[in-house]
Every structure is written in structure tokens, then in C-alpha cells.
């Protein structure tokens, strides 16, 4: 039976960050800090295929506990705003202690303004976490650390035209020696032009060009070019639409064994709020992605997702969601064996939120994952039962 080509893509184009809108907003200096403590019982923490025994000292199922702090610190003076935002925490395992690891995602930067009509962002982001074991060729610990440096500048041209340009530099590395050929450095530049005829509609064009280098592999640089037309429309307070359609071209170097991709990419998303208590969203994305998590030069990803959030009472909320992600992997076979050509992941999730007090919330739920791939590892199913306690300042 032919596989469905449903896998999501991040089109890697520089996104419209709304920098000027943020600068013109009525912001105040302050610090928002929240703490959370959670536990997850995972029936297949090691992402093992059915019938495969865990390695010596390992356990297929596990109880995973995490403690995390979320930060949103901001200081604004005139048109300039300095900020620090993100999360930092640690993850412990009851049985598979070799997977204990910090979990960090922090961004610091300057939201700058030259005038009330021109400004941009200068930021540095650091991410650090354990790689999903389904993406590895063996059950090993591997910490992936990614640093991203971003600079953008944009101006309103007249009252309804906005132009922006910018660049990113990304460096991602792995702690495990077997994964270091997947370490990468990427430089991305691009820009966009948007037209907003009224308060409810925005139309635009965007362009990005990304060069990816795998320094420990010795292969030629991968080049990814994305051109898209975008549209956003809001219908009152009940419906929002966001769409993009474009063309992506990705090629992992030169030579007879270098499969490339050239084709249509984009996304369409809708958010419906039929009442103040119910929100329903759906989205489909298709684009090019890359990551030092997987042994591939880049991948074509399609993602389809639906979700619903319902406020049962002022203190009780419920959510349910489902998603399907499929990735097709591309590599320069002159330098890298293709570990897997595809993977498919299906997930369903349900959760209940209960607000004990204004600043105290309990969340409990369950998520089920099923994944299939033609690689040596990564075909598995897992059920995760989770509960967390969150405290906000």
C-alpha cells in the first residue's frame, strides 16, 4: 500500500514577528515567572520496537519527573526593550537514569526601535535537551545543544506596507560521538513584503535562502531556497485564516548520488471560536526542515493537526488533539549513508486543566504515539500518562 505523503515542514522563511506592533504596544517593565513540577509514566521510554528487549540496565517503561521554570523578563525604555524569555529545568528518570538531562530553551535580546515606524530584533537563543531516542541508531544518551543568533530590521512604508529583512546563524551540536557527523552550522537570510489594506487582512511575499554545512561530514553545503505568497484574514472574533503557498528548492551538494527536492510547499491554518468557551483549530503544513537530531541532510515534512479546547467551568478546562507527521529524508549518498528514508508519526492527546487558585493549576492527561520507519530503530508505540502542577507569580 502506497504511503501517504503527509509530513510537516517548516519553510524556514524568516517569520513576521510583529516587532513594530510590540514596540508600539502599551508595555510595562516587569518579570513574569512560573514554576511547574510534572511526572509522566511512559510505557515505552526507550522507543523500542515490539519484542525488542531493553539493553542491560535499561527499562522499557519509566517514570519521568521534571522541574521547570518559565521566565518572561522585560525592561523597556522609549523604543528600546531588553528581554529574557523561555524555560529552564531538569528531567529525572526513575529507571533509565542515563537519560537524566537539563532542558533549556532561553532567548535574550533587544527589541529595538529607530523610529516609531522602523525597528527590529537582535537576539540569541540557546536550546539544550536529550534527543528523542526514536531518531537515534542506538539507545544512548545524546544531548543536543543549539545556538541561534537572529537579526531583523523592518519599516512601515506608508500606513499599510511593511518591509523586513534579516538573517539567522544556527549552530547545533551533539554530545554523543556517534552523532557528531550530524552537527551542523546554518546561515539563513531573507525578507518579506506585506500589505495590509485593513485591520483584518494581510497579504505578503517572502523569500529565504539557507546554507547548511555539516563540518564533521566533509560534504558540500546544502542549499535551501523558499519563495512564498502569504495571506492572513480575520472574520470578526470567531474565525482566523492563515495560508501560504510557494516553492521550495533543496539540494544536498553535487554529484550522481545527490537526490534533491523541488516542489510546492506552504501551509493553511484555521482557528474557529464559535463561543467564548470553545476554540477549534486545524492546520496543514508542508515544507523543508533540517536538524542535527537525524542522520540526513534535510527532510520534507508534512503535518496535519486538529485541536479543540473547551472551558467546562471558569476553573476547569479540557483539550483534545490529534496530529500526523510524515518526513521523507534526503542525503548526499556520496558522503552519508541514508539511515532511514521516511518516518510516520500519529498522536492523539487529551487533558484536563483544573485551576485550584488564580495562580495554581493542575493538568492531567494521556497521549498515545505510534511511529513507523524503515530505519534500524524508531518503529514503536507508546502511551504516556502525565500530571503536572504549575504555579504562576
Amino acid at each position: 500500500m502506497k504511503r501517504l505523503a503527509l509530513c510537516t515542514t517548516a519553510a524556514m522563511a524568516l517569520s513576521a514577528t510583529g516587532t513594530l506592533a510590540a514596540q508600539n504596544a502599551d508595555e510595562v517593565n516587569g518579570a513574569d515567572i512560573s514554576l511547574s513540577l510534572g511526572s509522566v509514566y511512559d510505557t515505552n521510554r526507550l522507543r523500542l520496537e515490539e519484542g525488542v528487549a531493553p539493553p542491560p540496565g535499561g527499562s522499557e517503561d519509566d517514570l519521568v519527573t521534571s522541574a521547570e521554570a518559565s521566565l518572561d523578563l522585560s525592561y523597556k525604555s522609549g523604543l528600546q526593550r531588553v528581554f529574557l524569555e523561555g524555560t529552564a529545568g531538569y528531567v529525572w528518570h526513575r529507571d533509565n537514569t542515563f537519560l537524566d538531562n537539563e532542558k533549556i530553551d532561553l532567548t535574550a535580546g533587544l527589541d529595538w526601535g529607530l523610529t516609531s515606524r522602523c525597528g527590529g530584533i537582535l537576539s540569541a537563543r540557546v536550546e539544550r535537551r536529550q534527543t528523542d531516542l526514536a531518531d537515534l541508531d542506538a539507545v544512548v544518551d545524546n544531548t543536543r545543544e543549539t545556538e541561534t543568533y537572529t537579526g531583523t530590521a523592518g519599516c512601515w512604508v506608508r500606513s499599510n506596507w511593511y518591509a523586513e529583512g534579516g538573517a539567522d546563524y544556527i549552530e547545533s551540536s551533539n554530545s554523543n560521538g556517534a552523532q557528531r557527523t550530524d552537527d551542523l552550522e546554518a546561515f539563513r537570510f531573507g525578507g518579506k513584503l506585506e500589505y495590509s489594506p485593513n485591520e483584518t487582512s494581510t497579504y505578503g511575499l517572502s523569500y529565504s535562502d539557507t546554507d547548511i554545512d555539516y563540518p564533521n561530514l566533509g560534504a558540500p553545503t546544502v542549499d535551501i531556497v523558499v519563495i512564498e505568497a502569504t495571506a492572513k484574514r480575520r472574520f470578526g472574533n470567531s474565525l482566523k485564516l492563515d495560508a501560504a503557498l510557494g516553492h521550495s528548492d533543496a539540494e544536498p551538494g553535487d554529484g550522481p548520488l545527490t537526490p534533491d527536492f523541488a516542489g510546492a510547499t506552504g501551509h493553511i491554518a484555521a482557528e474557529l471560536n464559535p463561543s467564548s468557551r470553545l476554540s477549534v483549530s486545524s492546520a496543514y503544513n508542508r515544507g523543508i526542515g533540517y536538524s542535527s537530531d537525524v542522520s540526513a541532510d534535510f527532510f520534507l515534512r508534512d503535518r496535519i493537526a486538529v485541536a479543540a479546547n473547551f472551558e467546562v467551568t471558569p476553573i476547569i478546562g479540557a483539550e483534545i488533539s490529534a496530529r500526523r507527521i510524515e518526513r521523507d529524508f534526503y542525503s548526499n549518498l556520496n558522503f552519508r549513508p541514508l539511515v532511514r528514508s521516511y518516518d510516520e508519526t500519529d498522536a492523539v492527546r487529551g487533558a484536563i486543566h483544573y485551576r485550584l487558585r488564580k495562580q495554581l493549576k493542575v493538568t492531567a492527561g494521556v497521549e498515545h504515539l505510534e511511529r513507523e520507519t524503515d530505519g534500524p530503530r524508531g518503529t514503536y508505540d507508546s502511551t504516556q500518562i502525565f500530571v503536572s502542577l504549575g504555579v504562576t507569580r
Side-chain angles (χ1 to χ4, degrees):
M1 182 175 178
K2 188 176 180 180
R3 284 189 299 113
L4 293 175
L6 288 176
C7 315
T8 2
T9 29
M12 295 300 174
L14 295 175
S15 62
T17 56
T19 300
L20 298 179
Q23 291 174 337
N24 294 330
D26 183 18
E27 295 176 341
V28 295
N29 302 328
D32 291 327
I33 301 175
S34 60
L35 304 174
S36 65
L37 180 65
S39 289
V40 179
Y41 174 72
D42 194 328
T43 62
N44 190 355
R45 180 66 184 93
L46 299 185
R47 306 301 184 243
L48 300 174
E49 191 170 352
E50 185 177 359
V52 175
S59 172
E60 180 178 4
D61 67 331
D62 207 345
L63 182 65
V64 185
T65 303
S66 63
E68 190 173 278
S70 297
L71 312 172
D72 188 354
L73 313 179
S74 176
Y75 175 78
K76 188 170 187 287
S77 177
L79 295 176
Q80 319 308 317
R81 184 176 71 96
V82 179
F83 63 89
L84 172 64
E85 58 192 25
T87 59
Y90 201 84
V91 179
W92 295 270
H93 293 73
R94 181 192 62 190
D95 300 319
N96 299 294
T97 56
F98 69 98
L99 293 176
D100 291 355
N101 205 293
E102 58 267 33
K103 185 179 179 182
I104 297 171
D105 187 351
L106 293 172
T107 302
L110 170 66
D111 188 350
W112 61 272
L114 186 62
T115 69
S116 61
R117 301 177 65 87
C118 294
I121 287 180
L122 295 173
S123 68
R125 178 182 181 184
V126 60
E127 302 170 84
R128 186 176 174 87
R129 64 167 177 80
Q130 163 69 33
T131 304
D132 189 335
L133 292 178
D135 287 328
L136 301 177
D137 301 333
V139 180
V140 296
D141 63 315
N142 179 73
T143 300
R144 187 201 73 178
E145 183 169 312
T146 302
E147 298 176 4
T148 304
Y149 302 92
T150 299
T152 67
C155 285
W156 285 100
V157 183
R158 299 183 179 179
S159 61
N160 50 11
W161 286 89
Y162 179 71
E164 183 181 271
D168 294 332
Y169 174 75
I170 303 170
E171 187 173 301
S172 188
S173 60
N174 297 282
S175 65
N176 192 285
Q179 292 296 121
R180 287 177 184 159
T181 54
D182 299 322
D183 293 356
L184 65 84
E185 298 173 2
F187 178 74
R188 177 177 59 194
F189 69 90
K192 67 184 178 189
L193 179 65
E194 292 184 337
Y195 171 64
S196 302
N198 50 55
E199 295 182 352
T200 62
S201 304
T202 300
Y203 307 98
L205 291 172
S206 67
Y207 170 87
S208 73
D209 191 331
T210 306
D211 289 328
I212 309 168
D213 181 40
Y214 294 92
N216 299 328
L217 191 64
T221 299
V222 180
D223 185 53
I224 302 173
V225 176
V226 181
I227 302 173
E228 285 189 333
T230 61
K232 298 178 183 179
R233 181 71 187 272
R234 187 177 73 249
F235 299 88
N237 295 321
S238 61
L239 178 62
K240 296 179 183 178
L241 297 178
D242 185 348
L245 179 61
H247 183 273
S248 295
D249 195 327
E251 184 174 335
D254 299 318
L257 298 177
T258 56
D260 59 5
F261 172 82
T265 53
H267 68 263
I268 183 168
E271 181 180 337
L272 178 64
N273 298 279
S275 72
S276 60
R277 299 171 59 186
L278 176 63
S279 173
V280 180
S281 62
S282 62
Y284 171 75
N285 307 78
R286 178 179 176 87
I288 303 295
Y290 57 90
S291 171
S292 63
D293 286 353
V294 296
S295 295
D297 290 351
F298 67 89
F299 50 83
L300 174 66
R301 184 176 66 175
D302 290 85
R303 180 179 188 268
I304 186 168
V306 294
N309 291 270
F310 182 66
E311 183 183 289
V312 182
T313 72
I315 62 172
I316 299 176
E319 65 171 277
I320 186 170
S321 63
R323 68 183 183 273
R324 178 176 175 84
I325 300 174
E326 185 177 299
R327 299 183 294 182
D328 293 309
F329 298 95
Y330 295 75
S331 286
N332 186 333
L333 301 181
N334 296 289
F335 294 86
R336 186 205 301 266
L338 192 60
V339 174
R340 55 179 58 86
S341 66
Y342 80 96
D343 64 19
E344 300 169 349
T345 304
D346 295 300
V348 292
R349 170 189 166 98
I352 297 291
H353 308 281
Y354 179 62
R355 189 167 293 281
L356 297 173
R357 296 181 180 177
K358 182 178 180 181
Q359 298 173 330
L360 191 63
K361 184 172 75 171
V362 176
T363 298
V366 60
E367 182 173 38
H368 182 73
L369 299 169
E370 293 186 2
R371 187 170 184 258
E372 179 184 336
T373 181
D374 60 353
R377 274 180 41 79
T379 295
Y380 74 94
D381 64 84
S382 167
T383 300
Q384 301 168 16
I385 303 171
F386 56 89
V387 61
S388 66
L389 175 65
V391 181
T392 58
R393 173 180 168 277

